[in-house]
Amino acid sequence: MTQTTLPLKTLLGLITCNLVWSLHPTLTKFVLEDFNSAHTAWLRYTSALIAFIAVSIGLKLCKHPFSLKNPVQSNALRLSDWGLLSLLGFLTFCYSPLLQIIGLSSSHATDNSLIIAMEPLATVFLAWIFLRERLHAQHWVSFVLALAGFTLLTGLTPARLSQGIDGHLLGNLIMLASLIGEASYSILSRKLLIRFHPLKIFGISLALGVAFLTVLVFVTNGFPSLEEFHLKSCIGILVMGPIGTALAYFYWMTALTEAPVASLAITLFIQPVMGTIFGHLFLGDHLTWIQGLGGGLILLGVIAQSKRRSPL
């Protein structure tokens, strides 16, 4: 039965998950030292898929009683389901990571940490467009605050635009565009969750996304060579893929059986804060006071929006 508060063990586990996720922008920078953007995305999600399959087989062999609230697992996939899953896989595990990593390659890990914090706002915006969910005044205030924060973080001023778009600005704009893919997961999975277990949706869409990435990487770049692997990039791939994508997601879904979504969502605010700190410590990134103000406005906008949303 779902509790109203988080047990200490679960809270510590969720904090650990968010600390791992907050390391992703910095670790991506490490991996980009050895690989291009396409190879980095492919290595992360391919390794995550392998780990996900291994964990799934392990749970099945040991007959682990993993379950979620009102799970549905026996329905057969219809053609329309495969269409939704294909779109889900492409947007979330192909389009989004490619754009995010391409943008990050021209920007900073600290910028990435703060921009990714805007994902809940992107989800609300897509729900308004495609699901016709009503937006309240508080949502619009959140959008204005977040966009103002993004403008300050990126230095998006008329004077700067008149000089052309530099790499840093372009990178941040690309990362902002990548949020459409991340946010689409919540929107597109809405109909599927009525009939299928969340982990089934995640596993199939991840596999399809990796398939799209594999074709794209093979056609455009070929596969990475073993000679390109170094200790730093190997650690980065291990933490971002098997640990940060597969295992952390398993743990997050398990935590859903113990506490409401609202309690879990609060821990997500660890990511932009710690991501900024990790970027400063390991990469020497720093924010000017104007960029810091922009990051603060982004977080304020996200917090204002999160207080409006009710638990699922």
Side-chain angles (χ1 to χ4, degrees):
M1 182 176 180
T2 301
Q3 300 180 13
T4 57
T5 58
L6 283 173
L8 179 59
K9 181 177 70 174
T10 303
L11 177 60
L12 292 176
L14 292 172
I15 290 174
T16 300
C17 286
N18 280 282
L19 287 175
V20 171
W21 291 331
S22 65
L23 274 168
H24 284 187
T26 298
L27 294 175
T28 299
K29 280 290 193 179
F30 290 163
V31 179
L32 285 170
E33 293 176 5
D34 294 334
F35 301 98
N36 61 34
S37 300
H39 284 162
T40 299
W42 183 79
L43 288 167
R44 173 185 172 180
Y45 285 100
T46 300
S47 62
L49 177 61
I50 293 171
F52 182 88
I53 293 172
V55 172
S56 299
I57 293 174
L59 290 176
K60 188 173 183 179
L61 290 177
C62 69
K63 297 180 179 180
H64 189 279
F66 183 86
S67 64
L68 295 175
K69 184 178 180 181
N70 299 322
V72 181
Q73 305 183 60
S74 59
N75 288 325
L77 288 166
R78 300 178 300 206
L79 184 60
S80 59
D81 297 328
W82 280 109
L84 273 177
L85 285 166
S86 297
L87 185 59
L88 193 65
F90 172 76
L91 289 174
T92 309
F93 302 112
C94 182
Y95 162 88
S96 181
L98 278 177
L99 259 64
Q100 186 181 141
I101 294 173
I102 290 172
L104 180 56
S105 66
S106 300
S107 185
H108 307 295
T110 51
D111 291 46
N112 178 259
S113 297
L114 293 168
I115 292 171
I116 293 301
M118 297 170 64
E119 182 190 334
L121 292 177
T123 302
V124 172
F125 186 69
L126 290 182
W128 173 57
I129 295 176
F130 294 107
L131 301 179
R132 303 299 181 185
E133 292 189 0
R134 181 184 176 188
L135 292 184
H136 299 273
Q138 193 166 355
H139 289 131
W140 291 110
V141 171
S142 296
F143 288 133
V144 171
L145 287 172
L147 289 177
F150 178 82
T151 300
L152 293 176
L153 179 69
T154 308
L156 193 61
T157 62
R160 184 174 179 183
L161 288 176
S162 66
Q163 301 173 1
I165 299 178
D166 60 19
H168 175 249
L169 174 57
L170 180 61
N172 282 358
L173 290 172
I174 292 175
M175 286 190 289
L176 184 65
S178 76
L179 296 184
I180 296 174
E182 291 282 353
S184 68
Y185 191 92
S186 299
I187 306 303
L188 295 175
S189 63
R190 184 73 63 87
K191 292 183 178 179
L192 295 168
L193 285 169
I194 298 173
R195 302 177 56 241
F196 303 106
H197 194 288
L199 281 178
K200 183 174 184 178
I201 298 172
F202 175 76
I204 294 175
S205 60
L206 175 61
L208 291 170
V210 169
F212 289 129
L213 268 176
T214 300
V215 173
L216 182 62
V217 168
F218 177 75
V219 171
T220 60
N221 296 272
F223 292 114
S225 169
L226 292 176
E227 297 177 355
E228 298 177 86
F229 286 91
H230 295 91
L231 179 60
K232 187 185 292 187
S233 56
C234 286
I235 293 174
I237 293 165
L238 174 65
V239 174
M240 292 192 298
I243 297 175
T245 302
L247 297 182
Y249 189 88
F250 257 109
Y251 187 85
W252 185 271
M253 298 305 292
T254 303
L256 279 173
T257 66
E258 301 178 0
V261 174
S263 298
L264 273 66
I266 293 299
T267 65
L268 291 173
F269 293 108
I270 294 172
Q271 290 184 59
V273 176
M274 293 306 301
T276 301
I277 293 174
F278 288 142
H280 175 72
L281 291 177
F282 297 111
L283 298 173
D285 290 351
H286 66 279
L287 298 175
T288 65
W289 72 267
I290 293 179
Q291 289 178 310
L293 176 60
L297 287 176
I298 290 174
L299 294 180
L300 182 60
V302 175
I303 292 171
Q305 180 271 150
S306 67
K307 287 186 177 180
R308 176 75 201 186
R309 299 180 70 186
S310 58
L312 298 176

